[in-house]
Structures are given as C-alpha cells and as structure tokens.
Amino acid sequence: MTAELPNLIINALPAALKSSLLTRLQPVDLPVGTVLTSPGQTPPFAHFMTSGMASVVTFMSDGTGAEVGVIGREGLVEAINLLGPASAPTTAFIQSEATALRMPFAELQQLFLAPGPLSQRILECVQSQGFILSQLAACHGLHEIEERLARWLLMVRDRLESDRFELTQEFLAEMLGARRTSVTLAAGTLQRSGLIKYSRGHIHVIDSEGLESAACECYPIVRNLVSRLYS
C-alpha cells in the first residue's frame, strides 16, 4: 500500500495508479519567485504541489498585475494547460517556499489523454480553479481592500498551514491589484483590531476567527471549493 502524500490529487487515485505515477515523478524544491508557467508558452514541467503555494497572476503591459488564482497541495499548477492548445495569458510562480512532485509536461499530457481516474481528478482540479478564479474576479471588483486582504491572508494561511509567513507590502499590493499605500492602510486596520501582527514583511495571524469575520464572503466560498475536492 502506498504511503499518503500531501498532494490531494495523487492521494485520490487508486493505489495501483498512484504507485505507477509516483515512479514517474521527481521531488523538487521550489524557491520563492520560481516561475512555473509563462504567457504564451507550453510549460516544460507539470508540478503536483506538496507544500507551499503558487500564485497565478495576470500582468498588464505596464507591469501591474493581479492574482487570479492560488494553488497549494490540493492542486496541479499546470492543470489548465492540459485542456487544449490555447496559450494561457497568466504567469504562475512560487509565492512561498515550496516543494512539488514534477514530471515533463508532455509526458503528463499523454497520461491525461487516456480516460480514467487521473484525468477525472485533474478535471475536478481545473473546475475548482475555474470557480475560484471567477470568485476572485468578482472579489477584486466588489469588495473593499480590508476585506480582500483578510480573505487573502486566510487563503495563504490555509495553504501554508501556518499562522506565520513572510510577505512584503509590494507583493501584497500586486496580489490584490491595489496600490501599496492602500495595502499599508488595510494592514494597519487589521493590526489595530488585533487580528494580525505585521512588521517588515513578517505576518503573524493572531486571531483567525476574527480575521474570518473581517474577510469578505469569498473566503468561505473558496475554502469550501477546496475542501470538497475529490470527495
């Protein structure tokens, strides 16, 4: 019997298929900033995340960007690239030091084209990511910065499984599609409320229940989409 691994897609596979797939996968360390996919390019590898977090970001021509997806150990970063020949306009990169099991993308593409549990689990992952993307798109347009920041910090906390992590103001602003000054004010509001402690890029979630109350309605929706995967 194969041992349980952090990646939920792999764990949801039948034992024999799981064992076979693991012989093809290589464990890798992914430092912060590692680019996994680039706009208009076929990914060289496919990454089943086992720890840490990858961000999917849409960048504009002036260099500004906004996060449209986050992928932790529940997912496969390049899942959407398997669906067809269209070139994705997004960039996926490592946001917090991570690990993954990877294989050549072309090799996984061949496995995906064969109907069976692997393709079914990957399609479920893509569906969940698609719903999360649509929820985050609405969130960016409709909710206040304090709510969005609280929601995003909770999403990071869930994927890193830690109340402490490091994120600079510049990075937070990019992920939220907001000005740095707006993020500074929002973080100050959450800190004065006793929900977080934020200093020089170090974030400590002090009151997770309070942070959930401060977050917009998008957080429980996204959380439930992930928790119900492969059920």
Side-chain angles (χ1 to χ4, degrees), residues 58-76:
T58 296
F59 288 104
M60 299 301 161
S61 57
D62 63 358
T64 58
E67 185 179 67
V68 295
V70 291
I71 303 170
R73 65 184 186 88
E74 77 280 355
L76 166 66

Side-chain angles (χ1 to χ4, degrees), residues 203-225:
I203 294 177
H204 179 196
V205 176
I206 298 172
D207 181 356
S208 58
E209 291 186 3
L211 197 60
E212 285 191 38
S213 297
C216 58
E217 63 194 274
C218 298
Y219 171 66
I221 292 173
V222 170
R223 179 189 58 198
N224 290 338
L225 282 168

Side-chain angles (χ1 to χ4, degrees), residues 17-30:
L17 178 56
K18 177 179 175 181
S19 296
S20 175
L21 183 63
L22 288 174
T23 64
R24 300 168 177 254
L25 292 165
Q26 174 189 10
V28 292
D29 295 323
L30 300 169

Side-chain angles (χ1 to χ4, degrees), residues 2 5 7 9-11 13-26 48 76 101-103 107-108 111-112 118 122:
T2 55
L5 289 166
N7 184 270
I9 293 178
I10 296 175
N11 279 334
L13 298 174
L17 178 56
K18 177 179 175 181
S19 296
S20 175
L21 183 63
L22 288 174
T23 64
R24 300 168 177 254
L25 292 165
Q26 174 189 10
F48 293 89
L76 166 66
L101 294 170
R102 81 176 186 187
M103 66 190 303
E107 188 174 335
L108 181 60
L111 295 175
F112 174 74
L118 178 59
I122 290 174

Side-chain angles (χ1 to χ4, degrees), residues 156-196:
V156 174
R157 173 181 167 273
D158 290 348
R159 283 155 182 80
L160 300 186
E161 298 181 324
S162 173
D163 288 327
R164 299 175 184 267
F165 38 90
E166 296 187 9
L167 297 166
T168 65
Q169 288 181 343
E170 291 87 351
F171 192 80
L172 284 169
E174 186 172 271
M175 293 305 96
L176 293 170
R179 295 178 183 274
R180 179 181 171 182
T181 52
S182 299
V183 172
T184 300
L185 292 172
T189 298
L190 297 179
Q191 183 161 246
R192 287 190 298 275
S193 299
L195 305 180
I196 66 170

